Amino acid sequence: MIMKRYFFAVFFLAGTICADEEGQGAPFELYEAQDFSFLFSTSKFPKELLELHIKLYEGYVKNARKLLEQLAEMRKEGSEKTYAYGALKRRLNFEMSGLRLHEYYFSELGGQGVPASHSHFIDALIEQFGSYEAWKHDFVQTGMMRGIGWVVLCLDEQTGALLNIWIEEHNLGNLVGLAPLLVMDVWEHAYITIFHLNRRRYIEAFFREIDWPLIEKRFNSVG
């Protein structure tokens, strides 16, 4: 019986190692920068602002790919216990979160900025916040908080709660199990070249950009 367990363990471990070797280096190939050039004709934001912002997003994609590739190489070398490996793992959280948050953000732009008067999503928003205006006030005030980061309207998939959360930088403040519905970038690079230090004016412009049917779709897919 002991011998059988020994051979099973060896067989299982060998299979795990082979699977890992076959997959090493593959994850970074799954990430490519999305094409958001359609915003040049659909968004009300100036083209020069969008071009700069999209270029910064592409940098996050490039860095995430590079980190995933470096980590795969270090695993091949058996360097998982090194300080450098841990440092790259932590940096990956920053780059990957920046990548994904920008994709949520850009895909929301270019809309009409007018939510439906009634829908499953809007009704849930009103039920929990009292009114659309009350929710918007909280979202805007969260965006006016001092510091760089993101404001995200999230849906708690377990409870159905809708929450406006603040994400510090890209990766600090993400709440586990919450699905992003509406994402607003409030790093200075999102607005300072056009709106200077007037963040409130940028937020007002952002609300005129929102593709609400897309937000509804996100809500319905997880709600």
Side-chain angles (χ1 to χ4, degrees):
M1 186 66 179
I2 294 174
M3 187 63 68
K4 286 183 178 179
R5 288 179 179 175
Y6 171 78
F7 280 119
F8 174 79
V10 172
F11 176 78
F12 177 79
L13 180 60
T16 302
I17 293 172
C18 290
D20 184 60
E21 288 178 349
E22 290 175 0
Q24 282 181 347
F28 82 93
E29 297 174 352
L30 300 175
Y31 296 93
E32 295 284 349
Q34 295 184 23
D35 182 6
F36 292 107
S37 60
F38 67 89
L39 291 174
F40 300 152
S41 60
T42 61
S43 174
K44 304 174 191 67
F45 284 137
K47 183 179 180 180
E48 57 267 32
L49 174 61
L50 291 169
E51 285 180 328
L52 172 63
H53 204 168
I54 291 171
K55 186 174 181 179
L56 287 168
Y57 152 69
E58 291 170 348
Y60 286 109
V61 179
K62 180 180 178 180
N63 289 338
R65 286 173 57 92
K66 184 177 181 180
L67 285 168
L68 287 167
E69 189 172 13
Q70 288 177 328
L71 287 166
E73 287 299 320
M74 293 182 77
R75 286 194 297 273
K76 288 181 181 178
E77 298 166 359
S79 303
E80 297 94 331
K81 294 183 179 180
T82 63
Y83 176 84
Y85 186 82
L88 292 183
K89 275 280 188 176
R90 290 182 173 87
R91 184 65 189 182
L92 180 64
N93 291 344
F94 177 85
E95 301 292 349
M96 286 291 295
S97 295
L99 177 161
R100 190 48 46 81
L101 285 166
H102 277 101
E103 290 178 346
Y104 274 104
Y105 173 78
F106 287 130
S107 62
E108 299 164 357
L109 303 182
Q112 298 302 310
V114 181
S117 57
H118 287 288
S119 68
H120 185 42
F121 165 65
I122 292 297
D123 290 347
L125 206 63
I126 293 172
E127 180 181 357
Q128 295 190 36
F129 284 86
S131 67
Y132 168 81
E133 290 72 22
W135 162 78
K136 180 179 177 181
H137 176 77
D138 182 66
F139 189 92
V140 171
Q141 291 307 118
T142 305
M144 291 299 296
M145 288 168 49
R146 183 173 176 81
I148 56 172
W150 301 77
V151 185
V152 183
L153 168 63
C154 290
L155 173 67
D156 187 329
E157 298 179 61
Q158 291 192 24
T159 66
L162 291 165
L163 305 169
N164 291 326
I165 69 169
W166 173 264
I167 296 177
E168 193 85 24
E169 296 190 350
H170 306 313
N171 57 321
L172 303 176
N174 285 291
L175 301 183
V176 176
L178 270 63
L181 302 180
L182 177 66
V183 174
M184 181 173 68
D185 190 347
V186 286
W187 282 62
E188 283 89 348
H189 62 242
Y191 61 89
I192 198 167
T193 56
I194 302 299
F195 300 98
H196 306 294
L197 296 177
N198 195 333
R199 186 186 288 190
R200 185 174 293 276
R201 193 158 68 90
Y202 157 71
I203 293 175
E204 291 171 354
F206 169 78
F207 266 84
R208 293 192 292 270
E209 286 279 318
I210 298 173
D211 181 355
W212 284 107
L214 175 62
I215 310 307
E216 295 264 1
K217 184 178 180 180
R218 288 176 181 171
F219 175 81
N220 292 332
S221 68
V222 294

